[in-house]
Amino acid sequence: AFDIGHDLGRAVLNARLFQREKQLLEEMRELDSYKSQLIKTVSHEFKNPLTSILGHLELLEGVELDAMGGRSLEVIARNTNRLQRLVADMLLLSSVNDPSRPLDPRPVDLLEVLEDVHEIVGVQAEARAIKIVVDAPHEPVCALGERPELERVLVNLISNAVKYSPEDAVVAVQLARTGDRVRFTVTDQGLGISRNDQVRLFDEFFRSSNPDATRRPGTGLGLAIVKRIIDRHAGEISVESKLGEGSTFQVTLPGCG
Ligand code: ADP
């Protein structure tokens, strides 16, 4: 049967729910922009004092200190370097999040980028007897994007694969063209990532609570930066992983056509 009162009641309720949803979305957007602004301001404010601390640390390196002074200086230097890495990552995240800096895409040969990246992360891999194996075509693999940002994606993914692997492991990097896109994958035989963690992996400051992972230094910003860069490039990123067995990160990007 037809109950006009009931139907009207439902319509009013739906309209109210819709309104509330819109309001919540708006509030979330505002919070997001507030968060980005906060990260930007804080990282800029940290930069100058940090530069000053680093300068004075360098001066102290030439000064003779007793054993205790030497140990203290070492601790200060180590932690200052950690802070510096954190600030650098926060500044980079702000920059790839900055709406007033739209992407300026150009053809980039990922094979060439990979060679440079190999030089950067190769040292880190060698120190732990980890082998980086590359499978790529012999001709250029052209993606459309900003080279420094694409280089950063590769550095972050490959250095994570190395960092979260045991000694003597293999990290496999694959580069390929697929139709009008290019794809690269980074596979490791490391710690792996639980299903729960996979959901929040690309969130800012997320670090797994897995004690084996937290033992290794990090800021929790690497994958957030990767995700932002991939989004800006109209690319896609996905992860497949099993705890204790390893992970594969796959990225696709627009090719040069
Ligand atoms: P960071 O490595 O600085 O902590 P990331 O944003 O790069 O930050 O990664 C976030 C978290 O995701 C890491 O703390 C780690 O727990 C997990 N993770 C990332 N890459 C891997 C990987 N290849 N294998 C296992 N865990 C990973």
Side-chain angles (χ1 to χ4, degrees):
F2 183 66
D3 177 350
I4 194 161
H6 178 76
D7 284 355
L8 206 63
R10 277 185 78 113
V12 169
L13 193 65
N14 276 341
R16 275 205 201 124
L17 279 176
F18 180 67
Q19 203 53 38
R20 181 78 194 118
E21 241 168 56
K22 250 177 62 184
Q23 207 178 332
L24 277 175
L25 268 176
E26 188 56 38
E27 277 168 24
M28 267 166 70
R29 253 197 295 268
E30 264 170 37
L31 269 177
D32 232 30
S33 117
Y34 174 71
K35 190 174 70 182
S36 301
Q37 195 54 47
L38 188 70
I39 290 180
K40 191 173 170 178
T41 312
V42 169
S43 42
H44 272 110
E45 290 298 324
F46 275 23
K47 231 175 105 173
N48 289 339
L50 255 177
T51 309
S52 159
I53 295 172
L54 282 164
H56 282 275
L57 270 172
E58 223 166 89
L59 282 179
L60 278 177
E61 266 170 24
V63 175
E64 199 148 324
L65 294 167
D66 60 14
M68 203 179 104
R71 271 198 305 277
S72 291
L73 193 65
E74 211 182 281
V75 174
I76 296 170
R78 196 171 55 239
N79 284 288
T80 311
N81 284 330
R82 259 177 75 180
L83 259 180
Q84 199 191 20
R85 275 198 297 275
L86 180 63
V87 169
D89 272 359
M90 281 163 63
L91 282 169
L92 181 62
L93 186 67
S94 306
S95 134
V96 292
N97 253 328
D98 186 351
S100 69
R101 205 180 63 80
L103 193 76
D104 176 21
R106 316 239 163 133
V108 177
D109 178 12
L110 289 182
L111 207 54
E112 226 181 81
V113 177
L114 194 58
E115 274 163 27
D116 291 350
V117 169
H118 206 282
E119 271 173 31
I120 301 170
V121 291
V123 185
Q124 181 197 357
E126 259 168 43
R128 309 197 40 237
I130 289 172
K131 226 164 109 182
I132 300 177
V133 185
V134 177
D135 171 16
H138 290 294
E139 65 272 1
V141 179
C142 185
L144 263 189
E146 284 190 21
R147 191 190 156 114
E149 293 192 10
L150 295 180
E151 179 170 323
R152 176 49 78 125
V153 169
L154 281 168
V155 166
N156 284 9
L157 290 180
I158 300 175
S159 68
N160 272 353
V162 170
K163 181 163 70 171
Y164 297 110
S165 284
E167 291 199 350
D168 288 317
V170 171
V171 169
V173 182
Q174 214 179 28
L175 198 58
R177 274 189 293 213
T178 54
D180 56 353
R181 292 175 81 76
V182 297
R183 183 187 66 217
F184 63 83
T185 56
V186 181
T187 304
D188 66 58
Q189 310 165 322
L191 298 180
I193 305 157
S194 72
R195 285 227 159 259
N196 268 344
D197 283 353
Q198 283 176 35
V199 180
R200 298 169 49 207
L201 208 55
F202 299 99
D203 290 355
E204 288 147 20
F205 298 109
F206 173 78
R207 301 204 74 205
S208 164
S209 53
N210 177 353
D212 284 332
T214 43
R215 217 175 295 136
R216 307 167 198 223
T219 62
L221 289 175
L223 287 179
I225 291 169
V226 165
K227 176 79 169 85
R228 254 325 280 150
I229 294 177
I230 298 296
D231 284 351
R232 256 160 81 71
H233 281 75
E236 269 153 43
I237 182 162
S238 61
V239 59
E240 253 179 63
S241 183
K242 218 164 174 192
L243 204 56
E245 287 183 16
S247 316
T248 296
F249 285 82
Q250 175 168 303
V251 171
T252 59
L253 289 164
C256 299

